Amino acid sequence: MSEPQTKHKSPYALEVRGLTRSFGSRKILSDVSFKLKRGEILIIMGGSGCGKSTLLRHIIGSLKPDAGEIYIDGTEITKLNDRELSNVRKRFGMLFQTGALFNSLTVGENVALPILESSDVSASIADLVVKLKLELVGLTGFEHLKPAQISGGMKKRVGMARALALDPELLFCDEPTAGLDPVMTAVIDTLTVDLTKKLGLSAVVVTHDMTSAFRIATQMIFLFEGRVIASGTPDEIKNNPDPILQQFINGYADGPIPLKLSKDDYLKRLMQA
Amino acid sequence: MLAFAQLSLEAFVGIFSPIFGQKSWRLSALFSQMVNIGVASLPTVALANFLLGLVLAIQGAGQFEKLGATNMVANLVAFSILREIGPLITAVIVIGRSGSAITAELGTMKVAEEIEALNVMGIDPVKYLVVPRLLAMLLMMPVLTVLGEGVGLFAGWLISVGSLHLDPFFYVQNSIEAVEQKDLFTGLLKALVFGGVVGTVACFYGMQVEGGAEGVGRSTTKSVVTALTSMLAMDAILTTLIYFT
């Protein structure tokens, strides 16, 4: 499917430099920088609303930053036009939060779509690739069902199969394990690790599932209010004394991470009443 | 407005590019949209045209009777259905039935990240989703209009012969004499333009959806209202251009 692997331009599969983006007066990302080596799995952690989905949308080229650069295998993507961007995009796969399968197509057609659209392969070859990819996610024999007929977890696995259809060099996963049972989570995690080990794929996974994150990560960054406040290997993150980070990875309710409604306000409100 | 112009331009380029040897149209997608927009709309379009044909004949008869010229009903029905009522009511039905459905469908796809997924796969959503819908609109609107007009004319004939006791052959002859070929063709030109307006507006609002189910509802309403008003505006413009110059 893909071109024979040519010499890589850069030792990094992905590099983000000084990424900044505001929506109105709200700064969602400020000066975010990190690098991802080939064959590694980078976990982007952070609470809800910390900007991790926005960051991912910038990396896949859906959003343009106010400042900063994004290099995918050495190619700067923030200034590319649509056609150049779509060429870069053919080299990566993306697993969306809800799978983003097309409801009018069957499971098999969903997986075949990127194959048939990107090249002139015959339907029978596409069919073979579909079978291989579905086997990879453990869904052989489900080709003829519509997305509405399968469970949420299965949709995610089909989404994974589709993301892998073109043998990408770089895989992006947006909350790949949210809403999955522990066994399915482990299956998806193992699959991600296997792919990076066997195929040399690099992966960027956005998640707040800490068990899953520490199981697969080789690199982690922690986003808080649009900034990278910690980065390193899983061990470095675990041993980082930052109270915000510790509260997050251990899942404590009390700590420095502000809640919308703090105790003081609540008391004041009670007194006023 | 700029975004709308850009989408329309891209879509029309997408429609015409196969003629210049680029990748061909997605025929299966096009056919399924033609069935959705055209074949499935036919009963409603026929019913609406039939009822309006009846009403025109009855209202016309009431007025012409005072002048003692009941046979003029044929002129009225033929003239107004071909020039105005046929294209107009067909477009109204298609807006309500298919335009709203296109906006809601594309909007739901946008909300479910499906459009973004297409982008990420390197597939142009305009070529993949908008072009077959717009092309189906452009092809089916004139077809539906012709068929609708036929039904409307028949309804007028039915009333005139059945309750006004006009001579069936004389009525047909009167109708044919009342209109020119130009009337039929301008009606079809209108239908083609309406198809373009409805298709681009419906797709544009679908691709614009933000913010979940509520956003889909809001955009669908906007789409129907905008399609209706722009269709009527185009009707006024075309009528002026064709008959006043």
Side-chain angles (χ1 to χ4, degrees), chain A residues 84-147:
Chain A
E84 292 164 334
L85 189 60
S86 95
N87 279 332
V88 175
R89 279 169 162 169
K90 281 180 185 150
R91 294 159 62 182
F92 61 71
M94 163 110 186
L95 169 60
F96 286 87
Q97 205 164 357
T98 51
L101 302 179
F102 301 103
N103 283 312
S104 56
L105 304 178
T106 64
V107 164
E109 288 167 341
N110 262 290
V111 181
L113 184 66
I115 306 167
L116 294 172
E117 288 297 323
S118 71
S119 51
D120 288 326
V121 294
S122 68
S124 60
I125 289 178
D127 202 43
L128 194 68
V129 178
V130 168
K131 287 210 171 80
L132 281 169
K133 300 297 172 185
L134 283 177
E135 171 64 29
L136 211 56
V137 295
L139 285 177
T140 310
F142 285 83
E143 290 94 325
H144 303 295
L145 293 182
K146 287 278 176 84

Side-chain angles (χ1 to χ4, degrees), chain A residues 210-235:
Chain A
M210 288 299 105
T211 326
S212 160
F214 282 104
R215 187 156 50 200
I216 63 175
T218 58
Q219 283 295 315
M220 298 177 118
I221 62 170
F222 183 77
L223 274 185
F224 182 72
E225 292 180 343
R227 287 169 196 283
V228 179
I229 62 162
S231 65
T233 63
D235 284 334

Side-chain angles (χ1 to χ4, degrees), chain B residues 42-64:
Chain B
L42 192 56
T44 329
V45 166
L47 180 67
N49 276 283
F50 183 81
L51 293 175
L52 274 169
L54 289 184
V55 169
L56 264 177
I58 295 167
Q59 295 278 25
Q63 294 300 313
F64 285 126

Side-chain angles (χ1 to χ4, degrees), chain A residues 57 60 62 86 89 92 94 96-98 100-103 105 113-114 117 162 174, chain B residues 6 10 23 26 105 109 112-123 128-129:
Chain A
R57 296 227 154 11
I60 61 175
S62 294
S86 95
R89 279 169 162 169
F92 61 71
M94 163 110 186
F96 286 87
Q97 205 164 357
T98 51
L101 302 179
F102 301 103
N103 283 312
L105 304 178
L113 184 66
E117 288 297 323
R162 189 178 67 183
D174 190 2
Chain B
Q6 192 187 352
E10 272 178 49
K23 258 190 166 180
R26 280 157 227 284
E105 187 190 6
M109 292 180 79
E113 299 176 308
E114 290 175 28
I115 306 238
E116 195 169 10
L118 279 177
N119 269 324
V120 172
M121 285 188 266
I123 301 170
Y128 188 74
L129 297 171

Side-chain angles (χ1 to χ4, degrees), chain B residues 7 22 26 43 60 72 79 81 89 92 96 98 107 161 169-170 179 210 213 217 219 221 226-227 234:
Chain B
L7 180 83
Q22 302 217 358
R26 280 157 227 284
M72 288 295 280
F79 189 82
I81 282 196
I89 194 64
V92 169
S98 312
V161 173
F169 297 106
F170 187 60
V179 293
E210 299 277 341
S219 272
T221 309
T226 312
M234 283 315 291

Side-chain angles (χ1 to χ4, degrees), chain A residues 248-260:
Chain A
F248 189 83
I249 60 181
N250 293 308
Y252 300 136
D254 289 326
I257 296 177
L259 296 174
K260 289 257 153 60

